[in-house]
Amino acid sequence: MKIDVLSLFPEMFQGVFQSSILSKAHEAGAFQYNFVNFRDYTDNKHNKVDDYPYGGGAGMVLKPQPIFDAVEAVQQDAKSSPRVILMCPQGKPYTQKKAEELAKEDHLIFICGHYEGYDERIRTELVTDEISIGDYVLTGGELGAMVVIDSVVRLLPNVLGNDDSAVQDSFSTGLLEHPHYTRPADFRGLTVPDVLLSGNHAHIDQWRRKEALKRTFLRRRDLLVGMDLTEEEQKWIKEWGSEEENS
């Protein structure tokens, strides 16, 4: 298995990858790894990889260009289509079943973000899997990636010495966040929603609320239990439910 890790702080992984089971697995040839600082791929003269979010708001958003280029670079010599994994609080909760699924792959690419979030086009156009290791927020995706990588590598053949060891293993509240976009407004033909460029903050707030509610409905419906929703929001949920039933 080959594992590529895209991070602004690749040095964080050195101690983990050079210790314990991961170190032994690498020495035995069970997997290869490569660390990529995607800042090296930015075309910004100041080496920036983030920008202010369209529509306003707190924090900075990772730009699409550096991450697109970094992923494409590590994919050039790929013998098969790699799984591209985005570490984020909005992803599907990580489970042992998912670890077993990923352990069957030949190539995994992990994207570890920082700041407020990712430009949505990274999520929709590059990523095959979005993973969360819990309902809490970390300063970046590196620690989560370490957790997932460790849980996957230990499932590879002969890594634990006794393959039966792996077989016998056990197993804040609110809405998920709305999509984020940053410059450029048009990236490879993929455009930012018009409402975020309108300057009408009331419409922007409504769009964000609706998108956050929809994402939560589609991905973590359990978070909506007991939540105080307006009549309009309840109407949206009924519409999405009907669309689901008819799809």
Side-chain angles (χ1 to χ4, degrees), residues 83-87 98 102 108-112 118 126-131 148:
R83 296 279 281 272
V84 181
I85 300 166
L86 191 72
M87 303 304 305
K98 188 67 173 182
L102 294 176
L108 302 176
I109 299 174
F110 287 84
I111 303 176
C112 306
Y118 307 92
L126 285 181
V127 171
T128 61
D129 302 83
E130 294 181 57
I131 291 178
V148 175

Side-chain angles (χ1 to χ4, degrees), residues 102-121:
L102 294 176
K104 298 175 183 178
E105 298 291 330
D106 295 324
H107 190 182
L108 302 176
I109 299 174
F110 287 84
I111 303 176
C112 306
H114 264 70
Y115 313 120
E116 179 65 21
Y118 307 92
D119 184 288
E120 187 71 5
R121 290 162 290 192

Side-chain angles (χ1 to χ4, degrees), residues 190-221:
L190 306 168
T191 58
V192 172
D194 291 340
V195 64
L196 296 180
L197 308 176
S198 68
N200 188 320
H201 291 286
H203 289 173
I204 291 171
D205 289 342
Q206 182 184 46
W207 180 87
R208 286 175 169 172
R209 173 70 179 184
K210 186 174 183 178
E211 289 298 312
L213 186 62
K214 184 175 184 179
R215 179 164 286 178
T216 304
F217 174 80
L218 295 175
R219 302 185 182 192
R220 291 295 307 277
R221 209 160 299 184

Side-chain angles (χ1 to χ4, degrees), residues 37-185:
N37 189 331
F38 56 83
R39 192 183 299 279
D40 294 338
Y41 288 86
T42 183
D43 59 9
N44 181 276
K45 64 181 180 180
H46 301 295
N47 291 326
K48 285 186 63 177
V49 295
D50 61 333
D51 211 329
Y52 295 102
Y54 277 118
M60 303 290 278
V61 177
L62 286 170
K63 294 164 64 69
Q65 178 272 316
I67 294 180
F68 266 74
D69 286 2
V71 169
E72 289 167 356
V74 300
Q75 284 180 324
Q76 283 184 351
D77 298 323
K79 297 179 181 179
S80 59
S81 297
R83 296 279 281 272
V84 181
I85 300 166
L86 191 72
M87 303 304 305
C88 70
Q90 302 171 44
K92 291 184 178 181
Y94 191 57
T95 64
Q96 184 67 18
K97 183 178 179 181
K98 188 67 173 182
E100 294 168 356
E101 175 188 328
L102 294 176
K104 298 175 183 178
E105 298 291 330
D106 295 324
H107 190 182
L108 302 176
I109 299 174
F110 287 84
I111 303 176
C112 306
H114 264 70
Y115 313 120
E116 179 65 21
Y118 307 92
D119 184 288
E120 187 71 5
R121 290 162 290 192
I122 296 169
R123 190 190 310 275
T124 59
E125 301 301 315
L126 285 181
V127 171
T128 61
D129 302 83
E130 294 181 57
I131 291 178
S132 167
I133 62 167
D135 292 341
Y136 47 87
V137 179
L138 298 171
T139 55
E142 286 80 8
L143 292 174
M146 293 176 198
V147 169
V148 175
I149 292 169
D150 182 274
S151 66
V152 169
V153 170
R154 66 191 302 278
L155 295 175
L156 299 179
N158 303 317
V159 166
L160 295 181
N162 183 346
D163 290 341
D164 288 338
S165 297
V167 175
Q168 296 170 7
D169 279 341
S170 298
F171 338 119
S172 96
T173 62
L175 300 175
L176 298 180
E177 204 167 16
H178 56 77
H180 289 285
Y181 294 88
T182 188
R183 297 174 181 84

